[in-house]
Each structure stands twice: as structure tokens, then as C-alpha cells.
Amino acid sequence: MRSHIALMSVPLHGHVNPMLGVAAELVDRGHRVTFASGAAFAPLIAETGATPVTYLSTFPAGGAPGDGWLAASDDGRQAARMFGRERDAALPQIAAAYGDDRPDLVVHDSVTAYAPLLAARWGVPQVQFSPTHVFFHGAEEKIGAPVRVVPEVRPCVVAMPRSLQVNADQVGPEHLFVGPVPWRRSTDGDWTAPAGARVALVSLGTTYNSRTDVLIRCAEGLAAGGWHVVIATGDAGTARELGDLPGNVEVHRWVPQVRVLEQAEVFVTAGGAGSALEGLTQGVPLVVVPQGVEQFLTAARVQALGVGRAITPERFSAEAVRAAAEELTTNPGTRAALEAMRAEIGRSGGAPVAADFIETHLLEGSAV
């Protein structure tokens, strides 16, 4: 049965990218897929075979926040204001773009607040898609939410393995953990490691990436240990501000991250779920240097699972990063934990299992 499935996401890499593989899978199954997000993501969306539906966003251009984006110290209030403003701007634009072309089902990113409103207006079923930790029972007390959060019970695809979820035993049965949903884009490019080099990738992701001091300390510590260091800044200004670094350090705004990870022995990351899972899928141990929000949750789970080490701000130094990298790459227990994680990711099912789940709710909607 060919149906019209509308995917919707705010225009941020960490939220759009995990949904691209699902879009491609649904297209391959014969559905007509539209994907609403910011205009900068239209080329990526089109590569999956889905039809981009774009709007003028209030977020930074290109889905790569820089100065003026969420402060690392934000307790949730600033984020709530910014996502609320985005909802108010996007809602009338997306409604107008769809017009009378009502989808049969809406699949929306967990922070895309305009999408549930449109699904309710159209009277169609909806499935949530979370690229990171989901709220568990009692989450507002445990994580210190500034306001009481009572998430609506809604079927939800979670693009993480269940073991990485914080307090997984308290997550409701409406959540299906499918693991990461990879999507190799034609624009990713290529990268080849220098012959005989031990490669360390350093990236703080696309949201909290303005800490040049963190990047410099990572580069200095790893370079002094003989590593070939690849730094992805995510921001052109940050790249220019790093100054002179050792000769075995290369700096780029963007790198083909999966390609680099295929050749890396360690990944220093802020702990964004997407980046962490790309590393774990490749079996690369993580040194997590969290910068804000849920990154601290991911860092704690990575440490608990034995697939990496967390270095919190009060413990951060060039020496700590180098020591963590050396310990992770020589510890047999780390390798065993990484193999167990890769096995769990494989069992979780990825895009096919996510699409099965979505189609189930599509059929339920047609029966109402």
C-alpha cells in the first residue's frame, strides 16, 4: 500500500541526519515521503528520494550553530524559548506548504513542536522519532528540569541502542530502540590516514563547538603522545582561532566523519548521540568531553558500559585526554565492550525495524 508519510524535523544536523536513513527506507518500500525542514537541508533530503518541504527557520543558517546559540550552562529555559520561537515561525509555513496534501502519517523529531500540532489539525496518526535519550518516568526530578515535564505518551522510534539510554528500565513500552540509522551521503567525501599513523579524531559536534581551548588542549595532549590528530571544528571561525598547532594535527571545518572513524583508533567527542553512535558503530572507543545538556548523560553511560571514558570539565586537561586515549586503546576489556556494543547495534535493526514500526502505526491509523 503506497501512502504519503510526512517526516518533520527542526533544521539541525543532529536531528535531521538520523532521520535520513528512515526516509530512504520508506521511499524504497514504495511510500511517497515528504520531509519538512529548513531549506539548507533540502539537498540531503532529496538524496534519500524524499521530497523536501522547506521553511524559513529562526535557527542559525546551515544547521551549524555558532556564537549566540545555546549556552553550555543552559538549564533548559533558553532551549525552550528558542524551540518555541521556531515552532511559531514554522507552523504557518509548513501548513501552507502542504495545503490540501494531507499526509497519512506524520513522523516527527522529538523537539519539532510544530509537527504534533499539524498532525492533530489533520487528524492523522503520528510517530515520534528521538535521536537521543528519551524521558523516563521521574525524569524531571532526576535531571533537574526547570519545569515539570509530562511528555505525551506517543509511539516513538529511538535511534539508539537501549543500553545507551539513561535509566532504560524506566522508559515506557511505547518506545522502540532501533539503534543508529546510518546514511552515507554522496557529499560526505573521502579521507585517507597517513601511512602508519595512529589516528585520533577530535570533534565537539555542531552545537557546543566554540570552545577553542578544549580543542587546543586535546590537540596538544594527543599530538605529544604521537597521535595523528584530525580536528573537525564545525565552525569556520573556530578553525581560524586555533592558531599554530603541532605538525601532526590537521584542522578542518568539516570532515567525512564516518570515513575518518573507519581509520581512527580513538574518538574525542562532546558526547552528542549522533557522533557517539557513529564512533561506536565503527568500534572506536570514545573519550567524551561533555559540553552541555544530554552530553553529560551520554558520557556517564559510555563510561558505565566500558566503551569509553568521560572527562568532566573539572577533570579536563591535555594530559587527561592523552591518558584516556592510551588506556582505551590498550585495555582488552574496552575492546570486548566495544564488540558487545556493536553486536547490540546490529540486533537493534536500524532503518528496517524503524520502518516496520512506522508502517504498523500507519495501518492502525487507516483502520480508525
Side-chain angles (χ1 to χ4, degrees), residues 261-356:
L261 286 169
E262 288 172 346
Q263 302 166 75
E265 293 185 35
V266 72
F267 183 17
V268 182
T269 170
S275 290
L277 286 168
E278 284 190 340
L280 295 174
T281 299
Q282 297 302 322
V284 180
L286 308 178
V287 178
V288 186
V289 184
Q291 302 297 298
V293 197
E294 81 280 357
Q295 294 173 352
F296 287 90
L297 301 178
T298 302
R301 293 302 302 147
V302 163
Q303 176 103 10
L305 292 168
V307 293
R309 297 292 178 268
I311 303 178
T312 52
E314 63 274 10
R315 294 177 48 244
F316 176 78
S317 68
E319 294 74 18
V321 172
R322 181 171 66 248
E326 295 294 346
E327 193 273 332
L328 288 169
T329 52
T330 57
N331 184 345
T334 301
R335 179 50 48 194
L338 286 165
E339 290 304 319
M341 173 59 73
R342 294 185 79 179
E344 182 186 355
I345 288 172
R347 292 192 303 271
S348 297
V353 171
D356 289 345

Side-chain angles (χ1 to χ4, degrees), residues 153-299:
V153 175
R154 184 180 301 144
C156 180
V157 173
V158 188
M160 295 199 312
R162 188 177 183 87
S163 67
L164 197 62
Q165 164 71 38
V166 64
N167 293 91
D169 59 338
Q170 298 177 47
V171 171
E174 68 277 7
H175 296 87
L176 177 67
F177 290 84
V178 303
V181 183
W183 170 250
R184 183 67 69 90
R185 301 171 290 276
S186 65
T187 54
D188 279 350
D190 198 7
W191 184 85
T192 301
R198 291 194 306 163
V199 175
L201 174 61
V202 178
S203 173
L204 300 183
T206 59
T207 303
Y208 302 104
N209 55 18
S210 61
R211 291 289 303 277
T212 56
D213 59 320
V214 171
L215 294 174
I216 290 170
R217 297 290 88 77
C218 288
E220 291 175 343
L222 292 165
W227 292 86
H228 180 83
V229 185
V230 180
I231 297 180
T233 67
D235 181 78
T238 302
R240 290 191 297 269
E241 293 168 4
L242 291 182
D244 293 331
L245 292 170
N248 51 338
V249 178
E250 55 179 277
V251 179
H252 307 273
R253 183 180 183 186
W254 300 107
V255 296
Q257 185 158 288
V258 172
R259 185 72 182 115
V260 177
L261 286 169
E262 288 172 346
Q263 302 166 75
E265 293 185 35
V266 72
F267 183 17
V268 182
T269 170
S275 290
L277 286 168
E278 284 190 340
L280 295 174
T281 299
Q282 297 302 322
V284 180
L286 308 178
V287 178
V288 186
V289 184
Q291 302 297 298
V293 197
E294 81 280 357
Q295 294 173 352
F296 287 90
L297 301 178
T298 302

Side-chain angles (χ1 to χ4, degrees), residues 11-13 40-41 59-65 206 253-254:
L12 295 172
H13 282 286
F41 286 92
F59 286 170
T206 59
R253 183 180 183 186
W254 300 107

Side-chain angles (χ1 to χ4, degrees), residues 27 65 68 91 96 112 116 136 140 143 185-186 222 270 294 314 336:
V27 169
L91 182 59
T112 304
F136 51 89
E140 63 275 10
I143 65 174
R185 301 171 290 276
S186 65
L222 292 165
E294 81 280 357
E314 63 274 10

Side-chain angles (χ1 to χ4, degrees), residues 85-103:
R85 185 171 71 239
E86 180 75 356
R87 174 202 60 213
D88 295 342
L91 182 59
Q93 296 182 68
I94 298 298
Y98 276 90
D100 294 331
D101 186 21
R102 189 189 76 166

